[in-house]
Amino acid sequence: MLNAWHLPVAPFVKPQQDSVLITLWLAGDDLPERVTLRHEYDNEETSLRMTRVQRGVPAGVTAWCGRIDLSRGLSRRRYSFKLLWPTRQRWFTPQGLAAFPPASLEQFAIDLPDTGPEWVADQVFYQIFPDRFARSRTRRPEQDAVYHHHAAGQDIVRRDWDEPLTAEAGGSTFYGGDLDGITEKLPYLQKLGVTALWLNPVFTAPSVHKYDTADYRHVDPQFGGDAALQRLRDHTRQRGMRMILDGVFNHTGDSHPWFDRHRQSDRGACHHTDSPWRDWYLFSDTGHAHDWLGYASLPKLDYRSSGLVEEVYGGEDSIVRHWLKAPWSMDGWRLDVVHMLGEEGGAKNNLHHVAQMRRAAREVNPQAFVLGEHFGDARAWLQADAEDAAMNYRGFTIPLWGFLANTDISYDPQQIDARTCVAWMDQYRAGLSHQQQLRMFNQLDSHDTARFKTILGKDVARLPLAVVWLFSWPGVPCIYYGDEVGLDGNNDPFCRKPFPWRAEQQDRALLALYQRMAALRKRSPALRRGGCQVLYAEGDVVVFVRLLQREAVLVAINRGEAQRVTLPWSPFTAERTWACVEGQGEIAEQQMTLPALSATVWRSR
């Protein structure tokens, strides 16, 4: 029997001037005679002999060390381990031992140097749908002006904050939340433990969701206009909070002056073949514009146009750059449906344009955060460094839904056990560098999904398990506004209810759990930046450890009945004294006692 351990963090990875020392731990009665470190220098595979050492390792463990030269080669250092016996070999990768060598993208990966935004891994993000979060005390009457919403064929609807949300006129119904309302609620968000905000679109647009942009350079008057955004930005900066905006660059709204379906000028591309913006969109021979997914009100942008490229990201005062500069000084962009952006009405040359948006952002702010929206596999964009991170639906949200709520992202039945869930999560993150894993955007739900509380249905008692998992798995936790107080709701528009600000409307026990987990994450470097190893995954129980230097955090999730679990021996947990910091489980050596429907967190230093 042979066991191997390595995580791409200290004490297994130790940068030392122009090199990095890589350590592998082995234990068992079938130890190899030699171990080589396979790494890549400018995409060329290179093998380095590792040296066996015995000092500074747990009892019963043998360490092998090798050194990678950092003075040359690409900054993404990919490596794996080749274990050799007289007549055979095995390979060790993030997914364990194998009989054959891994593909390049299946190896361990660390970024040295790390050119991504260093600050992101330490944050707790909060997603705000501006119309539904908070209505300011200073809201002006003109912010409630009623106008005709062409795409819906009706005037917009104004509702009082406590009026029930209905399916009628979902995109045209306004409750009056605004940016000054968010500013007024910053003390609440800081008490919750939030350190960074992601706002759904704030730019001028006719709908409540504002993904149908009419003006990328001004904030919608209903949200308070440019001055309100500046006030919010000033207050977040005073409080040390970060803030990113939502960039909708795949399409515009049909009311944008570039397109102007509703003839508010005489220059729009929709009706004028000589419009200066005509080639910014793709038109058929019959004059119909190519739209996004059949929504005529959302004409797609065509990035073959040099003028469009200049306006969106290429020019010195392009839209991407404009909002990252003073006086706004935003910290980055979340890019909406970014995988669909491109040329000729589709996604042609997509990676090129996305990467250039990131480059433009970096030229203004070297620490700008560029986050892509992907419901599917985002690793092609991440491995190409076109984005810093992605919304982690595929690697976190969807497997967690399957395990705790027995459903997939299409709301079809999906019953998976613990082993399947963690295999799914581990397989996905294995294709990313350690630093990218720490920046992935983990959410239980969003404005594009039903609320997780509603998805759970009769299993709503499992909701606290998901909250603990959200704050302890590799990646950046993002809270969708209202989740922390038990806001429910099915698909759009019901997942976008107004925030329930009266205390009697809130689940205070759930709110307290969010606050405790945010505080725990703040004081735990291992939860923010540590490596992750699943120790046990059977049936209803998942147990994993986060490790960095001497600190270890042990997390046990039990979706089923009370039970005892015997953990396999691991040097990550052996001979440690554990303090329970959340939940009611107990641990003694390798034996865990877990209450029914529980999430328990222990910490050791």
Side-chain angles (χ1 to χ4, degrees), residues 18-19 39-44 46 48 67-77 112-113:
D18 291 335
S19 67
H39 77 110
E40 297 182 1
Y41 162 63
D42 287 341
N43 300 322
E44 176 69 15
T46 304
L48 297 173
R67 194 177 299 275
I68 295 176
D69 184 1
L70 297 181
S71 66
R72 57 180 185 169
L74 301 174
S75 60
R76 179 144 305 142
R77 315 291 172 167
L112 293 172

Side-chain angles (χ1 to χ4, degrees), residues 275-291:
S275 168
W277 306 295
R278 183 75 176 188
D279 71 340
W280 294 20
Y281 302 90
L282 180 67
F283 290 86
S284 68
D285 293 339
T286 58
H288 288 88
H290 189 91
D291 57 45

Side-chain angles (χ1 to χ4, degrees), residues 193-224:
V194 169
T195 61
L197 304 182
W198 157 37
L199 305 186
N200 286 112
V202 299
F203 304 123
T204 303
S207 70
V208 67
H209 56 73
K210 307 218 176 292
Y211 284 95
D212 50 349
T213 313
D215 186 346
Y216 289 102
R217 294 187 179 271
H218 291 287
V219 175
D220 198 290
Q222 296 185 85
F223 291 165

Side-chain angles (χ1 to χ4, degrees), residues 511-528:
L511 175 61
L513 174 61
Y514 271 90
Q515 291 172 323
R516 292 195 304 271
M517 289 306 300
L520 174 60
R521 191 174 189 275
K522 181 177 180 180
R523 64 178 185 265
S524 170
L527 286 181
R528 301 194 309 273

Side-chain angles (χ1 to χ4, degrees), residues 533-551:
Q533 180 76 52
V534 175
L535 302 176
Y536 183 92
E538 297 291 341
D540 294 326
V541 176
V542 174
V543 180
F544 59 90
V545 63
R546 300 291 306 278
L547 189 76
L548 185 65
Q549 297 283 14
R550 295 182 179 275
E551 183 193 9

Side-chain angles (χ1 to χ4, degrees), residues 257 318 505 516 537 547 557:
S318 62
Q505 298 173 309
R516 292 195 304 271
L547 189 76
I557 307 290

